[in-house]
Structures are given as structure tokens and as C-alpha cells.
Amino acid sequence: MKVLLCDADDTLFDFKRGERAAISDTFRAFGIPDTPEHAALYHQVNLAQWKRLERGETTQARLRVDRFRVFLAEAGLLGDAQALCDFFVEKLGCQRFLLPGALAFCQKVSRHMPIYLVTNGIASIQRTRFSSSELAPYIAGLVISEEVGRSKPDPAMVFEALRQAGGVSPEDAAMMGDSVTSDIPAARAAGVKSILFTNGTEPPQNHGADVVARTYADALAALGLE
């Protein structure tokens, strides 16, 4: 392998922890009760919006606000969805929690090959987070769907990362991610090796990945870096 393409959230970053912190701050700032029920409802609505994006049914610009518009409607609350969106995006950009072992993994991989992050995230959030993250010295580049104009599972993002890596051939690259609906199909469509990272959980049936990595040690082995 000559390059590792890697998803960011829930593959290297503890997105769930960061999202919980950001949504709690947002609820409190706008007088919305910070309850487990409201947090669960937001998570459900947000996930549904990202799935719509993967299917090409919305855009990231619409998604940002629609998730709060739908949340307010389903929670029976009044509020300004755009203001909630803007505050949340700012707070989420401040969250830099890493999954345990992610830093050591990137340090080791970067000694052998460059790492390019390939993420469906919002550009302002992702660039703010990564620029001051502990991972920054070990990441060669960042490919964000909002900037490319396509979202995983579209392979365009994978091809853009390969281009940024100097025109590396697909057969010389691996794509590692946690999503069987975006990361793995994008990798397969681009012809690169696909590594499903499950962070200790069992993979779903028919995941479609070439390799399942339950741990970072498994991922290193898949890259030939044991």
C-alpha cells in the first residue's frame, strides 16, 4: 500500500462524544431542556438527514438547517432553526475527542505512508477540528464532500484523495471507515481496498468490505504494518 484514505468521524474521532457535548451546549443556550429524550430525538433526526444526503435527496447546506427544523417540529418546540444551526456548527467545530488508540495508529501509519482523510462532514467544522487536532501532524490531506461537491458513497471523493496523493493508483490504496453505506461502497466503486473499522463491535452481515478491523491493531495488520 502506498496511501491510506481514512474516514474521520467514528473511525478516528469520537464523533458521538463531540456531538453530545455540542448539542447539550446548544440546547442550554436556546432554553431547550437538555434531556436524554431531546438528545436522542436530535440524533435520530440528524442521522436521517445524513442518510438522505448519501442517497442524493438533499444537500449539506439544506441538511444543516433541516435537521433543526425537523427536530423543533417533532419535539413540539418553537425556535429559530438557522440560529440553532449556526450555534451548533460553531460548538461542534470545537470538539476534538479522539477514539482511544487513534493517535498512535496515525503516528505509526504515517511513518510508512501518507494518510488522507475523506469525510462527508461540513467543511467549516472539519477544517476547524483538524487544524488544531493532535492528528494534524500525521495527516497529509483532507478531502471534504462539501468542497468536492459529491458525498460518499460516490467514489469521486476517493478519486480526489488519490489525485491529491500524487496520482496513486487505486490498487495501491486502502480506504478505512466505519460506515457500510458510505465508506465501504465508495471504496469498492473506486477500486481501492476497503477496511471496515468496527471499534470492537461485530460487523453487520453483508458488509461488503474486503477486511474487517475490529481494532487499530487489526487495521495495521490489514495494511501490512503489524
Side-chain angles (χ1 to χ4, degrees):
M1 289 296 151
K2 294 182 179 179
V3 62
L4 173 63
L5 313 181
C6 194
D7 178 50
D9 292 323
D10 295 323
T11 301
L12 298 176
F13 283 81
D14 190 341
F15 180 75
K16 294 181 179 65
R17 181 181 175 188
E19 182 186 54
R20 283 195 300 270
I23 199 64
S24 291
D25 287 346
T26 303
F27 286 163
R28 290 194 295 268
F30 286 83
I32 296 172
D34 184 15
T35 63
E37 292 76 18
H38 279 159
L41 176 60
Y42 169 79
H43 178 73
Q44 174 186 328
V45 169
N46 184 53
L47 181 61
Q49 289 293 321
W50 282 102
K51 294 300 182 185
R52 291 187 67 221
L53 180 69
E54 290 178 5
R55 296 191 298 268
E57 297 171 359
T58 188
T59 65
Q60 286 194 336
R62 288 170 53 192
L63 178 156
R64 295 183 189 189
V65 181
D66 281 353
R67 57 187 173 185
F68 286 103
R69 179 184 57 77
V70 175
F71 165 77
L72 290 169
E74 295 195 6
L77 298 169
L78 297 176
D80 183 335
Q82 183 66 62
L84 283 162
C85 164
D86 293 343
F87 187 91
F88 176 75
V89 166
E90 179 181 354
K91 290 297 180 181
L92 192 58
C94 298
Q95 310 303 323
R96 298 172 180 84
F97 302 114
L98 299 179
L99 291 173
L103 178 59
F105 172 75
C106 289
Q107 288 173 329
K108 182 162 186 176
V109 173
S110 67
R111 291 197 291 267
H112 299 273
M113 67 186 77
I115 303 171
Y116 285 80
L117 298 186
V118 181
T119 172
N120 274 357
I122 295 168
S124 59
I125 295 175
Q126 303 295 46
R127 291 204 175 277
T128 298
R129 292 166 69 204
F130 297 139
S131 64
S132 56
S133 164
E134 292 178 278
L135 297 183
Y138 311 104
I139 303 300
L142 180 58
V143 178
I144 306 174
S145 57
E146 187 176 39
E147 296 174 344
V148 174
R150 304 281 186 88
S151 300
K152 295 176 293 183
D154 192 309
M157 293 182 66
V158 178
F159 291 135
E160 172 59 19
L162 295 176
R163 185 194 68 78
Q164 290 188 20
V168 173
S169 298
E171 58 266 25
D172 293 325
M175 173 75 195
M176 172 174 153
D178 69 295
S179 174
V180 298
T181 58
S182 62
D183 300 314
I184 302 307
R188 293 178 65 86
V192 306
K193 181 176 182 177
S194 56
I195 303 173
L196 176 64
F197 180 70
T198 69
N199 196 26
T201 65
E202 288 300 308
Q205 290 186 346
N206 304 315
H207 52 74
D210 294 317
V211 178
V212 173
R214 292 172 174 78
T215 66
Y216 289 121
D218 291 342
L220 290 171
L223 295 169
L225 303 177
E226 296 174 277

